[in-house]
Amino acid sequence: MELLQVTQQCVSRVVGLFKGQTDDKSLEAHKNLYDLHKHYEEAFYLIENKIPITKIPVQANKAIYIITESNQKVSKVYKANNYICNCDKFNAREFQFCPHILAAMIADELEICTSQVRITGEEYLGHIKSF
């Protein structure tokens, strides 16, 4: 199974912990996700500190998440077949795992993203090219 799918499954289960559902699978997913990447804790920090995460949907499998941190740093996460981020912690070899990507995935599962008007595929490509 591809790493992204494993991560998404772990994120789905870990979201249960936020909702107060503690079971062995959620706790194991928490451990697995933690083992997968060092940025996991930072992603939870962003969520727990209610850093705004805005989701701009494009299509069913495409979206842009804009994360504005308290020091006014703005990161953009692009979701298509895989996730990419414009932050300096983004690493092409481990592209699924920077804190912003994990935070976007968690926020999406928790349905705590603020939303903006849908954008067109062309606008999305414009954003990707500027990346």
Side-chain angles (χ1 to χ4, degrees):
M1 193 182 295
E2 150 182 352
L3 198 55
L4 178 62
Q5 286 176 307
V6 172
T7 304
Q8 285 173 318
Q9 285 176 355
C10 286
V11 164
S12 294
R13 287 211 173 107
V14 166
V15 161
L17 295 175
F18 268 103
K19 295 177 177 175
Q21 303 158 355
T22 50
D23 59 30
D24 291 344
K25 282 192 173 184
S26 293
L27 293 169
E28 182 160 334
H30 190 289
K31 181 187 177 302
N32 290 345
L33 197 56
Y34 187 82
D35 290 345
L36 279 173
H37 206 272
K38 62 186 176 291
H39 295 315
Y40 171 72
E41 259 187 87
E42 204 173 322
F44 269 66
Y45 173 85
L46 294 171
I47 299 288
E48 287 168 344
N49 286 281
K50 299 186 174 28
I51 301 293
I53 299 176
T54 302
K55 179 181 181 180
I56 306 171
V58 183
Q59 297 168 350
N61 64 341
K62 289 183 186 173
I64 297 174
Y65 299 84
I66 298 168
I67 301 170
T68 309
E69 294 184 54
S70 41
N71 58 4
Q72 297 305 300
K73 279 178 63 182
V74 177
S75 293
K76 288 183 186 172
V77 174
Y78 302 94
K79 171 190 173 187
N81 298 333
N82 269 311
Y83 290 76
I84 59 172
C85 183
N86 70 337
C87 77
D88 55 0
K89 291 177 183 158
F90 176 81
N91 178 326
R93 282 172 291 139
E94 309 177 36
F95 56 90
Q96 293 96 331
F97 307 115
C98 72
H100 306 104
I101 289 172
L102 286 170
M105 290 168 77
I106 294 164
D108 218 0
E109 280 277 334
L110 286 169
E111 297 179 351
I112 57 171
C113 296
T114 55
S115 59
Q116 278 190 357
V117 180
R118 223 176 139 93
I119 64 171
T120 66
E122 250 174 65
E123 288 171 306
Y124 180 83
L125 288 174
H127 281 291
I128 291 283
K129 286 176 185 156
S130 67
F131 172 77

